[in-house]
Amino acid sequence: MGAWAIAVHGGAGVDPNLPKERQEEAKRLLTRCLDIGISALRSNLPAIDVVELVVRELETDPLFNSARGSALTEKGTVEMEASIMDGPKRRCGAVSGLTTVKNPVSLARLVMEKSPHSYLAFSGAEEFAKKQGVEMVDNEYFITEDNVGMLKLAKEANSILFDYRIPAVGTCGAGAAMDSPLQMNGLPISVYAPETVGCVVVDKQGRCAAATSTGGLMNKMSGRIGDSPLIGSGTYASELCGVSCTGEGEAIIRSTLAREVSAVMEYKGLNLHEAVDYVIKNRLDEGKAGLIAVSKDGEVACGFNTTGMFRGCATEDGFMEVGVW
């Protein structure tokens, strides 16, 4: 019997001027999710059950960018995506383009367990959800007043907003950010700070699992798919580790970031902390991203090259930490 460990994230790339109240609100949510996961692990739930349980909690709360509270497309609608992976046999499931499924991560798991496929998207995923009897709601359920306002600002700036809750006035506004624009696939973007959610867990049996869920980018093109549902990019789990990524999706996709952590552990013989540090420093090129990870030995690690990352982690020996910067 080994030792369990868990980590959660609410997105990498945090506005340096984020109000203190918002920081504390995020910390409270991350702490609540850790407590849920810890309780489940103490009850001997397998890792795959725990990551789904925790991500469902994150999806239900509108604070971060997943399910309820998702970023809006250029059309003002929500298109959600998620993935989940079970390390022992590398089973996985992923979904994209969801508009009415209340908890995308649970549909991703059903794709893994109840379909012959690994990935379903758009109308096919919605039809599968209906057949599986999952809870479905109107698209309006996912849309918040804050996001409607931020989409308006994004359209006025003719840009993609990564952190759709950064005020568009003063030094934090979209217009100000465009004075020295960051790049995504060679094109300027205004503000960098996505808030994807994810969870990684290793249970007492040494089984690793990972899950990631997001609404994507504010003012994104309809049909855009990011890294979160892509196995090996935004999510990966093997017999060695479980990884969930967040950040500039296009950069994470190019680097197959989540898989790289497992690969350098396997082929370079690095431990978890060394592997996370290596891929953040050497695999993102000019991209901005972060990740959380656990190993089969009960280690937990996080890494990011952004200003900050909403994150929390805990281990069986009593260690627990929640942070932003």
Side-chain angles (χ1 to χ4, degrees), residues 79-80 95-101 107 111 119-131 136 223 225:
E79 292 181 0
M80 302 165 290
V95 288
S96 287
L98 301 182
T99 58
T100 62
V101 176
L107 186 63
V111 170
Y119 197 158
L120 293 176
F122 295 91
S123 60
E126 295 274 336
E127 290 171 10
F128 177 71
K130 292 176 184 176
K131 290 178 181 177
M136 304 180 80
I225 294 172

Side-chain angles (χ1 to χ4, degrees), residues 76-248:
T77 59
V78 167
E79 292 181 0
M80 302 165 290
E81 48 198 28
S83 63
I84 191 167
M85 190 164 186
D86 194 14
K89 294 185 178 179
R90 304 190 195 193
R91 298 184 306 144
C92 60
V95 288
S96 287
L98 301 182
T99 58
T100 62
V101 176
K102 188 173 183 180
N103 289 107
V105 71
S106 291
L107 186 63
R109 184 167 183 184
L110 286 170
V111 170
M112 177 177 78
E113 295 185 339
K114 302 294 184 180
S115 87
H117 308 302
S118 295
Y119 197 158
L120 293 176
F122 295 91
S123 60
E126 295 274 336
E127 290 171 10
F128 177 71
K130 292 176 184 176
K131 290 178 181 177
Q132 294 299 315
V134 304
E135 187 172 2
M136 304 180 80
V137 293
D138 291 337
N139 198 252
E140 288 74 19
Y141 163 84
F142 305 104
I143 299 173
T144 65
E145 186 177 338
D146 283 349
N147 290 349
V148 172
M150 290 311 298
L151 177 63
K152 182 175 182 291
L153 293 172
K155 287 184 175 297
E156 289 173 354
N158 192 29
S159 63
I160 295 169
L161 288 184
F162 274 81
D163 187 340
Y164 48 93
R165 291 183 178 87
I166 292 178
V169 293
T171 58
C172 299
M178 290 303 287
D179 292 338
S180 56
L182 295 166
Q183 299 271 313
M184 184 173 71
N185 274 0
L187 299 174
I189 53 100
S190 62
V191 180
Y192 178 81
E195 294 181 344
T196 294
V197 305
C199 179
V200 293
V201 167
V202 58
D203 58 29
K204 288 183 178 180
Q205 284 69 44
R207 298 172 298 202
C208 298
T212 312
S213 180
T214 190
L217 307 178
M218 181 62 72
N219 200 27
K220 66 182 180 181
M221 294 174 64
S222 182
R224 182 260 184 183
I225 294 172
D227 65 285
S228 296
L230 300 184
I231 299 302
S233 292
T235 304
Y236 192 74
S238 66
E239 69 281 3
L240 292 176
C241 63
V243 184
S244 174
C245 300
T246 169
E248 184 187 332

Side-chain angles (χ1 to χ4, degrees), residues 33-53:
C33 289
L34 280 178
D35 287 339
I36 290 170
I38 290 168
S39 178
L41 285 162
R42 287 174 175 166
S43 299
N44 295 317
L45 261 66
I48 192 68
D49 287 352
V50 181
V51 295
E52 180 187 6
L53 183 68

